[in-house]
mmCIF file of all heavy atoms in Angstrom:
data_model
loop_
_atom_site.group_PDB
_atom_site.id
_atom_site.type_symbol
_atom_site.label_atom_id
_atom_site.label_comp_id
_atom_site.label_asym_id
_atom_site.label_seq_id
_atom_site.Cartn_x
_atom_site.Cartn_y
_atom_site.Cartn_z
ATOM 1 N N SER A 730 108.607 106.555 110.998
ATOM 2 C CA SER A 730 108.663 108.007 110.928
ATOM 3 C C SER A 730 107.386 108.511 110.268
ATOM 4 O O SER A 730 106.627 107.735 109.681
ATOM 5 C CB SER A 730 109.899 108.483 110.158
ATOM 6 O OG SER A 730 109.877 108.014 108.826
ATOM 7 N N ARG A 731 107.146 109.797 110.364
ATOM 8 C CA ARG A 731 105.958 110.356 109.742
ATOM 9 C C ARG A 731 106.228 111.759 109.238
ATOM 10 O O ARG A 731 107.081 112.482 109.765
ATOM 11 C CB ARG A 731 104.768 110.354 110.710
ATOM 12 C CG ARG A 731 104.977 111.163 111.979
ATOM 13 C CD ARG A 731 103.812 110.969 112.950
ATOM 14 N NE ARG A 731 102.615 111.681 112.529
ATOM 15 C CZ ARG A 731 101.420 111.559 113.106
ATOM 16 N NH1 ARG A 731 101.261 110.728 114.140
ATOM 17 N NH2 ARG A 731 100.383 112.249 112.649
ATOM 18 N N ASP A 732 105.503 112.119 108.209
ATOM 19 C CA ASP A 732 105.530 113.453 107.644
ATOM 20 C C ASP A 732 104.140 114.026 107.861
ATOM 21 O O ASP A 732 103.196 113.689 107.143
ATOM 22 C CB ASP A 732 105.892 113.408 106.164
ATOM 23 C CG ASP A 732 106.042 114.781 105.546
ATOM 24 O OD1 ASP A 732 105.447 115.751 106.062
ATOM 25 O OD2 ASP A 732 106.754 114.900 104.533
ATOM 26 N N ASN A 733 103.996 114.864 108.858
ATOM 27 C CA ASN A 733 102.677 115.371 109.219
ATOM 28 C C ASN A 733 102.059 116.223 108.114
ATOM 29 O O ASN A 733 100.841 116.242 107.948
ATOM 30 C CB ASN A 733 102.760 116.171 110.517
ATOM 31 C CG ASN A 733 103.056 115.298 111.717
ATOM 32 O OD1 ASN A 733 102.731 114.111 111.737
ATOM 33 N ND2 ASN A 733 103.679 115.883 112.729
ATOM 34 N N ALA A 734 102.887 116.945 107.368
ATOM 35 C CA ALA A 734 102.375 117.774 106.288
ATOM 36 C C ALA A 734 101.742 116.937 105.187
ATOM 37 O O ALA A 734 100.837 117.393 104.492
ATOM 38 C CB ALA A 734 103.480 118.648 105.719
ATOM 39 N N LYS A 735 102.228 115.707 105.019
ATOM 40 C CA LYS A 735 101.715 114.816 103.982
ATOM 41 C C LYS A 735 100.788 113.744 104.528
ATOM 42 O O LYS A 735 100.302 112.910 103.760
ATOM 43 C CB LYS A 735 102.875 114.146 103.244
ATOM 44 C CG LYS A 735 103.771 115.106 102.490
ATOM 45 C CD LYS A 735 104.883 114.353 101.775
ATOM 46 C CE LYS A 735 105.761 115.290 100.981
ATOM 47 N NZ LYS A 735 106.849 114.562 100.283
ATOM 48 N N ASN A 736 100.555 113.736 105.837
ATOM 49 C CA ASN A 736 99.756 112.691 106.478
ATOM 50 C C ASN A 736 100.245 111.305 106.077
ATOM 51 O O ASN A 736 99.449 110.411 105.774
ATOM 52 C CB ASN A 736 98.272 112.860 106.145
ATOM 53 C CG ASN A 736 97.659 114.061 106.821
ATOM 54 O OD1 ASN A 736 98.027 114.413 107.943
ATOM 55 N ND2 ASN A 736 96.705 114.697 106.152
ATOM 56 N N THR A 737 101.543 111.141 106.107
ATOM 57 C CA THR A 737 102.165 109.904 105.648
ATOM 58 C C THR A 737 103.045 109.316 106.738
ATOM 59 O O THR A 737 103.761 110.048 107.424
ATOM 60 C CB THR A 737 103.000 110.154 104.385
ATOM 61 O OG1 THR A 737 102.151 110.643 103.341
ATOM 62 C CG2 THR A 737 103.669 108.877 103.911
ATOM 63 N N VAL A 738 102.988 108.002 106.874
ATOM 64 C CA VAL A 738 103.836 107.282 107.807
ATOM 65 C C VAL A 738 104.705 106.312 107.017
ATOM 66 O O VAL A 738 104.272 105.744 106.007
ATOM 67 C CB VAL A 738 103.001 106.552 108.879
ATOM 68 C CG1 VAL A 738 102.096 105.489 108.258
ATOM 69 C CG2 VAL A 738 103.901 105.949 109.953
ATOM 70 N N TYR A 739 105.936 106.125 107.481
ATOM 71 C CA TYR A 739 106.899 105.265 106.819
ATOM 72 C C TYR A 739 107.401 104.209 107.781
ATOM 73 O O TYR A 739 107.409 104.403 108.994
ATOM 74 C CB TYR A 739 108.099 106.071 106.310
ATOM 75 C CG TYR A 739 107.741 107.234 105.419
ATOM 76 C CD1 TYR A 739 107.510 108.496 105.948
ATOM 77 C CD2 TYR A 739 107.632 107.065 104.041
ATOM 78 C CE1 TYR A 739 107.181 109.562 105.134
ATOM 79 C CE2 TYR A 739 107.306 108.123 103.223
ATOM 80 C CZ TYR A 739 107.087 109.374 103.775
ATOM 81 O OH TYR A 739 106.769 110.427 102.954
ATOM 82 N N LEU A 740 107.837 103.113 107.229
ATOM 83 C CA LEU A 740 108.484 102.073 108.010
ATOM 84 C C LEU A 740 109.729 101.622 107.261
ATOM 85 O O LEU A 740 109.627 100.973 106.218
ATOM 86 C CB LEU A 740 107.555 100.885 108.252
ATOM 87 C CG LEU A 740 108.102 99.800 109.186
ATOM 88 C CD1 LEU A 740 108.239 100.341 110.607
ATOM 89 C CD2 LEU A 740 107.213 98.564 109.173
ATOM 90 N N GLN A 741 110.883 101.987 107.778
ATOM 91 C CA GLN A 741 112.153 101.532 107.245
ATOM 92 C C GLN A 741 112.495 100.201 107.893
ATOM 93 O O GLN A 741 112.602 100.111 109.112
ATOM 94 C CB GLN A 741 113.263 102.542 107.525
ATOM 95 C CG GLN A 741 113.080 103.889 106.894
ATOM 96 C CD GLN A 741 114.174 104.859 107.304
ATOM 97 O OE1 GLN A 741 113.926 106.054 107.420
ATOM 98 N NE2 GLN A 741 115.375 104.362 107.524
ATOM 99 N N MET A 742 112.682 99.176 107.083
ATOM 100 C CA MET A 742 112.940 97.836 107.576
ATOM 101 C C MET A 742 114.312 97.394 107.105
ATOM 102 O O MET A 742 114.540 97.214 105.907
ATOM 103 C CB MET A 742 111.861 96.864 107.096
ATOM 104 C CG MET A 742 110.450 97.269 107.504
ATOM 105 S SD MET A 742 109.195 96.035 107.026
ATOM 106 C CE MET A 742 109.299 96.181 105.238
ATOM 107 N N ASN A 743 115.221 97.224 108.040
ATOM 108 C CA ASN A 743 116.578 96.784 107.755
ATOM 109 C C ASN A 743 116.839 95.429 108.386
ATOM 110 O O ASN A 743 116.120 94.999 109.282
ATOM 111 C CB ASN A 743 117.594 97.803 108.274
ATOM 112 C CG ASN A 743 117.447 99.165 107.652
ATOM 113 O OD1 ASN A 743 117.157 99.297 106.472
ATOM 114 N ND2 ASN A 743 117.669 100.208 108.464
ATOM 115 N N SER A 744 117.893 94.773 107.922
ATOM 116 C CA SER A 744 118.281 93.466 108.451
ATOM 117 C C SER A 744 117.089 92.523 108.511
ATOM 118 O O SER A 744 116.838 91.856 109.520
ATOM 119 C CB SER A 744 118.915 93.622 109.835
ATOM 120 O OG SER A 744 120.055 94.456 109.781
ATOM 121 N N LEU A 745 116.358 92.452 107.429
ATOM 122 C CA LEU A 745 115.132 91.670 107.404
ATOM 123 C C LEU A 745 115.402 90.183 107.582
ATOM 124 O O LEU A 745 116.404 89.654 107.090
ATOM 125 C CB LEU A 745 114.376 91.920 106.110
ATOM 126 C CG LEU A 745 113.613 93.246 106.073
ATOM 127 C CD1 LEU A 745 113.272 93.635 104.642
ATOM 128 C CD2 LEU A 745 112.339 93.143 106.913
ATOM 129 N N LYS A 746 114.489 89.539 108.288
ATOM 130 C CA LYS A 746 114.559 88.116 108.575
ATOM 131 C C LYS A 746 113.350 87.411 107.978
ATOM 132 O O LYS A 746 112.310 88.026 107.776
ATOM 133 C CB LYS A 746 114.585 87.883 110.086
ATOM 134 C CG LYS A 746 115.687 88.601 110.832
ATOM 135 C CD LYS A 746 115.536 88.405 112.329
ATOM 136 C CE LYS A 746 116.628 89.127 113.095
ATOM 137 N NZ LYS A 746 116.467 88.946 114.564
ATOM 138 N N PRO A 747 113.456 86.108 107.714
ATOM 139 C CA PRO A 747 112.287 85.372 107.230
ATOM 140 C C PRO A 747 111.077 85.508 108.140
ATOM 141 O O PRO A 747 109.942 85.503 107.647
ATOM 142 C CB PRO A 747 112.784 83.927 107.162
ATOM 143 C CG PRO A 747 114.249 84.053 106.919
ATOM 144 C CD PRO A 747 114.673 85.268 107.702
ATOM 145 N N GLU A 748 111.307 85.644 109.429
ATOM 146 C CA GLU A 748 110.212 85.801 110.378
ATOM 147 C C GLU A 748 109.440 87.103 110.186
ATOM 148 O O GLU A 748 108.346 87.252 110.725
ATOM 149 C CB GLU A 748 110.733 85.753 111.825
ATOM 150 C CG GLU A 748 111.598 84.544 112.126
ATOM 151 C CD GLU A 748 113.076 84.827 111.944
ATOM 152 O OE1 GLU A 748 113.565 84.627 110.808
ATOM 153 O OE2 GLU A 748 113.731 85.238 112.914
ATOM 154 N N ASP A 749 110.010 88.046 109.442
ATOM 155 C CA ASP A 749 109.325 89.301 109.158
ATOM 156 C C ASP A 749 108.309 89.171 108.035
ATOM 157 O O ASP A 749 107.559 90.115 107.771
ATOM 158 C CB ASP A 749 110.336 90.398 108.800
ATOM 159 C CG ASP A 749 111.277 90.721 109.941
ATOM 160 O OD1 ASP A 749 110.808 90.810 111.096
ATOM 161 O OD2 ASP A 749 112.482 90.888 109.679
ATOM 162 N N THR A 750 108.290 88.040 107.362
ATOM 163 C CA THR A 750 107.341 87.828 106.277
ATOM 164 C C THR A 750 105.917 87.923 106.798
ATOM 165 O O THR A 750 105.540 87.225 107.739
ATOM 166 C CB THR A 750 107.570 86.465 105.621
ATOM 167 O OG1 THR A 750 108.859 86.438 105.014
ATOM 168 C CG2 THR A 750 106.517 86.196 104.559
ATOM 169 N N ALA A 751 105.129 88.785 106.187
ATOM 170 C CA ALA A 751 103.760 89.019 106.632
ATOM 171 C C ALA A 751 103.106 90.024 105.699
ATOM 172 O O ALA A 751 103.766 90.634 104.853
ATOM 173 C CB ALA A 751 103.732 89.558 108.067
ATOM 174 N N VAL A 752 101.809 90.191 105.877
ATOM 175 C CA VAL A 752 101.110 91.316 105.283
ATOM 176 C C VAL A 752 101.165 92.456 106.285
ATOM 177 O O VAL A 752 100.779 92.294 107.439
ATOM 178 C CB VAL A 752 99.654 90.975 104.930
ATOM 179 C CG1 VAL A 752 98.941 92.204 104.374
ATOM 180 C CG2 VAL A 752 99.601 89.835 103.919
ATOM 181 N N TYR A 753 101.641 93.582 105.840
ATOM 182 C CA TYR A 753 101.790 94.744 106.696
ATOM 183 C C TYR A 753 100.661 95.730 106.447
ATOM 184 O O TYR A 753 100.373 96.089 105.305
ATOM 185 C CB TYR A 753 103.142 95.418 106.454
ATOM 186 C CG TYR A 753 104.292 94.666 107.069
ATOM 187 C CD1 TYR A 753 104.710 93.449 106.547
ATOM 188 C CD2 TYR A 753 104.956 95.172 108.190
ATOM 189 C CE1 TYR A 753 105.754 92.745 107.129
ATOM 190 C CE2 TYR A 753 106.004 94.478 108.762
ATOM 191 C CZ TYR A 753 106.399 93.264 108.232
ATOM 192 O OH TYR A 753 107.444 92.578 108.810
ATOM 193 N N TYR A 754 100.033 96.167 107.523
ATOM 194 C CA TYR A 754 98.919 97.097 107.459
ATOM 195 C C TYR A 754 99.273 98.373 108.214
ATOM 196 O O TYR A 754 99.725 98.314 109.353
ATOM 197 C CB TYR A 754 97.661 96.506 108.097
ATOM 198 C CG TYR A 754 97.139 95.254 107.425
ATOM 199 C CD1 TYR A 754 97.596 93.998 107.808
ATOM 200 C CD2 TYR A 754 96.180 95.335 106.426
ATOM 201 C CE1 TYR A 754 97.115 92.854 107.203
ATOM 202 C CE2 TYR A 754 95.688 94.197 105.823
ATOM 203 C CZ TYR A 754 96.159 92.959 106.214
ATOM 204 O OH TYR A 754 95.670 91.823 105.616
ATOM 205 N N CYS A 755 99.041 99.500 107.596
ATOM 206 C CA CYS A 755 99.194 100.744 108.323
ATOM 207 C C CYS A 755 97.856 101.130 108.938
ATOM 208 O O CYS A 755 96.798 100.691 108.491
ATOM 209 C CB CYS A 755 99.708 101.873 107.425
ATOM 210 S SG CYS A 755 98.580 102.397 106.115
ATOM 211 N N ASN A 756 97.914 101.927 109.961
ATOM 212 C CA ASN A 756 96.698 102.441 110.564
ATOM 213 C C ASN A 756 96.889 103.898 110.940
ATOM 214 O O ASN A 756 98.010 104.375 111.126
ATOM 215 C CB ASN A 756 96.290 101.619 111.793
ATOM 216 C CG ASN A 756 97.009 102.042 113.053
ATOM 217 O OD1 ASN A 756 98.149 101.662 113.293
ATOM 218 N ND2 ASN A 756 96.336 102.855 113.871
ATOM 219 N N ALA A 757 95.774 104.592 111.041
ATOM 220 C CA ALA A 757 95.780 105.977 111.480
ATOM 221 C C ALA A 757 94.581 106.213 112.372
ATOM 222 O O ALA A 757 93.458 105.829 112.028
ATOM 223 C CB ALA A 757 95.748 106.929 110.285
ATOM 224 N N ASP A 758 94.810 106.808 113.521
ATOM 225 C CA ASP A 758 93.739 107.230 114.412
ATOM 226 C C ASP A 758 93.476 108.697 114.123
ATOM 227 O O ASP A 758 94.310 109.556 114.415
ATOM 228 C CB ASP A 758 94.124 107.018 115.867
ATOM 229 C CG ASP A 758 94.274 105.554 116.219
ATOM 230 O OD1 ASP A 758 93.599 104.723 115.573
ATOM 231 O OD2 ASP A 758 95.057 105.232 117.129
ATOM 232 N N VAL A 759 92.309 108.976 113.547
ATOM 233 C CA VAL A 759 92.035 110.260 112.908
ATOM 234 C C VAL A 759 90.976 111.045 113.667
ATOM 235 O O VAL A 759 89.932 110.503 114.042
ATOM 236 C CB VAL A 759 91.569 110.053 111.451
ATOM 237 C CG1 VAL A 759 91.196 111.388 110.811
ATOM 238 C CG2 VAL A 759 92.645 109.357 110.643
ATOM 239 N N ARG A 760 91.249 112.320 113.886
ATOM 240 C CA ARG A 760 90.225 113.278 114.283
ATOM 241 C C ARG A 760 89.690 113.905 113.009
ATOM 242 O O ARG A 760 90.432 114.590 112.306
ATOM 243 C CB ARG A 760 90.788 114.355 115.201
ATOM 244 C CG ARG A 760 91.159 113.889 116.587
ATOM 245 C CD ARG A 760 91.586 115.071 117.451
ATOM 246 N NE ARG A 760 90.492 116.029 117.623
ATOM 247 C CZ ARG A 760 90.645 117.263 118.094
ATOM 248 N NH1 ARG A 760 91.851 117.691 118.445
ATOM 249 N NH2 ARG A 760 89.591 118.060 118.219
ATOM 250 N N PRO A 761 88.399 113.707 112.686
ATOM 251 C CA PRO A 761 87.899 114.148 111.379
ATOM 252 C C PRO A 761 87.757 115.658 111.235
ATOM 253 O O PRO A 761 87.943 116.177 110.135
ATOM 254 C CB PRO A 761 86.545 113.444 111.259
ATOM 255 C CG PRO A 761 86.122 113.196 112.674
ATOM 256 C CD PRO A 761 87.398 112.934 113.424
ATOM 257 N N TYR A 762 87.414 116.355 112.307
ATOM 258 C CA TYR A 762 87.299 117.804 112.249
ATOM 259 C C TYR A 762 87.463 118.379 113.650
ATOM 260 O O TYR A 762 87.369 117.659 114.641
ATOM 261 C CB TYR A 762 85.982 118.261 111.606
ATOM 262 C CG TYR A 762 84.726 117.712 112.243
ATOM 263 C CD1 TYR A 762 84.076 118.420 113.254
ATOM 264 C CD2 TYR A 762 84.178 116.507 111.827
ATOM 265 C CE1 TYR A 762 82.917 117.922 113.831
ATOM 266 C CE2 TYR A 762 83.032 116.004 112.397
ATOM 267 C CZ TYR A 762 82.403 116.715 113.401
ATOM 268 O OH TYR A 762 81.259 116.216 113.981
ATOM 269 N N ALA A 763 87.659 119.679 113.723
ATOM 270 C CA ALA A 763 88.025 120.319 114.986
ATOM 271 C C ALA A 763 86.965 120.169 116.063
ATOM 272 O O ALA A 763 87.285 120.104 117.243
ATOM 273 C CB ALA A 763 88.336 121.803 114.753
ATOM 274 N N GLY A 764 85.698 120.138 115.684
ATOM 275 C CA GLY A 764 84.623 120.060 116.651
ATOM 276 C C GLY A 764 84.337 118.664 117.196
ATOM 277 O O GLY A 764 83.441 118.506 118.025
ATOM 278 N N ARG A 765 85.098 117.691 116.746
ATOM 279 C CA ARG A 765 84.899 116.308 117.157
ATOM 280 C C ARG A 765 86.163 115.812 117.853
ATOM 281 O O ARG A 765 87.220 115.761 117.240
ATOM 282 C CB ARG A 765 84.578 115.433 115.941
ATOM 283 C CG ARG A 765 84.189 113.997 116.270
ATOM 284 C CD ARG A 765 82.727 113.919 116.650
ATOM 285 N NE ARG A 765 82.314 112.558 116.968
ATOM 286 C CZ ARG A 765 81.790 111.701 116.097
ATOM 287 N NH1 ARG A 765 81.615 112.055 114.829
ATOM 288 N NH2 ARG A 765 81.434 110.489 116.500
ATOM 289 N N THR A 766 86.038 115.475 119.135
ATOM 290 C CA THR A 766 87.205 115.054 119.898
ATOM 291 C C THR A 766 87.524 113.579 119.720
ATOM 292 O O THR A 766 88.673 113.171 119.921
ATOM 293 C CB THR A 766 87.013 115.343 121.388
ATOM 294 O OG1 THR A 766 85.847 114.655 121.865
ATOM 295 C CG2 THR A 766 86.843 116.833 121.626
ATOM 296 N N ALA A 767 86.540 112.778 119.372
ATOM 297 C CA ALA A 767 86.766 111.353 119.205
ATOM 298 C C ALA A 767 87.656 111.077 118.001
ATOM 299 O O ALA A 767 87.675 111.841 117.031
ATOM 300 C CB ALA A 767 85.442 110.613 119.047
ATOM 301 N N THR A 768 88.403 109.984 118.084
ATOM 302 C CA THR A 768 89.213 109.535 116.961
ATOM 303 C C THR A 768 88.629 108.256 116.386
ATOM 304 O O THR A 768 87.971 107.480 117.073
ATOM 305 C CB THR A 768 90.675 109.305 117.364
ATOM 306 O OG1 THR A 768 90.737 108.287 118.375
ATOM 307 C CG2 THR A 768 91.283 110.590 117.907
ATOM 308 N N PHE A 769 88.918 108.029 115.127
ATOM 309 C CA PHE A 769 88.442 106.858 114.417
ATOM 310 C C PHE A 769 89.629 106.166 113.767
ATOM 311 O O PHE A 769 90.479 106.820 113.166
ATOM 312 C CB PHE A 769 87.405 107.250 113.365
ATOM 313 C CG PHE A 769 86.182 107.896 113.945
ATOM 314 C CD1 PHE A 769 86.165 109.254 114.225
ATOM 315 C CD2 PHE A 769 85.054 107.141 114.220
ATOM 316 C CE1 PHE A 769 85.040 109.852 114.775
ATOM 317 C CE2 PHE A 769 83.926 107.729 114.769
ATOM 318 C CZ PHE A 769 83.916 109.079 115.050
ATOM 319 N N ARG A 770 89.667 104.858 113.901
ATOM 320 C CA ARG A 770 90.794 104.089 113.384
ATOM 321 C C ARG A 770 90.512 103.602 111.973
ATOM 322 O O ARG A 770 89.490 102.957 111.712
ATOM 323 C CB ARG A 770 91.110 102.911 114.300
ATOM 324 C CG ARG A 770 92.162 101.964 113.743
ATOM 325 C CD ARG A 770 92.803 101.101 114.812
ATOM 326 N NE ARG A 770 93.708 101.886 115.642
ATOM 327 C CZ ARG A 770 94.548 101.367 116.527
ATOM 328 N NH1 ARG A 770 94.598 100.049 116.700
ATOM 329 N NH2 ARG A 770 95.331 102.155 117.246
ATOM 330 N N TYR A 771 91.434 103.895 111.079
ATOM 331 C CA TYR A 771 91.359 103.459 109.695
ATOM 332 C C TYR A 771 92.555 102.578 109.382
ATOM 333 O O TYR A 771 93.629 102.708 109.985
ATOM 334 C CB TYR A 771 91.328 104.663 108.749
ATOM 335 C CG TYR A 771 90.076 105.487 108.867
ATOM 336 C CD1 TYR A 771 90.002 106.542 109.765
ATOM 337 C CD2 TYR A 771 88.958 105.208 108.084
ATOM 338 C CE1 TYR A 771 88.847 107.301 109.889
ATOM 339 C CE2 TYR A 771 87.802 105.964 108.198
ATOM 340 C CZ TYR A 771 87.758 107.001 109.100
ATOM 341 O OH TYR A 771 86.607 107.754 109.218
ATOM 342 N N TRP A 772 92.357 101.699 108.405
ATOM 343 C CA TRP A 772 93.378 100.732 108.025
ATOM 344 C C TRP A 772 93.692 100.819 106.544
ATOM 345 O O TRP A 772 92.804 101.066 105.716
ATOM 346 C CB TRP A 772 92.917 99.310 108.341
ATOM 347 C CG TRP A 772 92.771 99.047 109.806
ATOM 348 C CD1 TRP A 772 91.649 99.185 110.559
ATOM 349 C CD2 TRP A 772 93.794 98.589 110.689
ATOM 350 N NE1 TRP A 772 91.906 98.843 111.855
ATOM 351 C CE2 TRP A 772 93.209 98.476 111.966
ATOM 352 C CE3 TRP A 772 95.136 98.258 110.525
ATOM 353 C CZ2 TRP A 772 93.930 98.048 113.082
ATOM 354 C CZ3 TRP A 772 95.855 97.838 111.625
ATOM 355 C CH2 TRP A 772 95.249 97.733 112.889
ATOM 356 N N GLY A 773 94.949 100.604 106.221
ATOM 357 C CA GLY A 773 95.347 100.471 104.837
ATOM 358 C C GLY A 773 94.955 99.122 104.282
ATOM 359 O O GLY A 773 94.466 98.239 105.000
ATOM 360 N N GLN A 774 95.173 98.946 102.985
ATOM 361 C CA GLN A 774 94.737 97.723 102.318
ATOM 362 C C GLN A 774 95.672 96.547 102.557
ATOM 363 O O GLN A 774 95.307 95.406 102.255
ATOM 364 C CB GLN A 774 94.610 97.978 100.807
ATOM 365 C CG GLN A 774 95.920 97.951 100.022
ATOM 366 C CD GLN A 774 96.723 99.235 100.093
ATOM 367 O OE1 GLN A 774 96.441 100.141 100.869
ATOM 368 N NE2 GLN A 774 97.756 99.320 99.254
ATOM 369 N N GLY A 775 96.838 96.798 103.089
ATOM 370 C CA GLY A 775 97.826 95.771 103.321
ATOM 371 C C GLY A 775 98.800 95.644 102.168
ATOM 372 O O GLY A 775 98.431 95.796 101.002
#
């Protein structure tokens, strides 16, 4: 899910399994300003 007002994305993880063990990284494809149509991909720290 996401909260656009906060520029925040969430991941609710239920019924977790050992196979879910990993480093999880979020990403965002961002338009930096109105005059630029291209998007740039950014990553969280994990």
Side-chain angles (χ1 to χ4, degrees):
S730 61
R731 60 187 285 172
D732 185 335
N733 291 333
K735 297 181 178 180
N736 289 326
T737 299
V738 63
Y739 306 90
L740 186 67
Q741 298 176 213
M742 303 184 293
N743 299 322
S744 301
L745 283 162
K746 304 175 180 179
E748 308 94 270
D749 297 318
T750 296
V752 177
Y753 285 71
Y754 298 89
C755 66
N756 84 279
D758 294 332
V759 176
R760 290 185 62 194
Y762 55 92
R765 187 82 180 267
T766 59
T768 61
F769 298 84
R770 173 160 287 190
Y771 293 90
W772 294 92
Q774 80 279 10

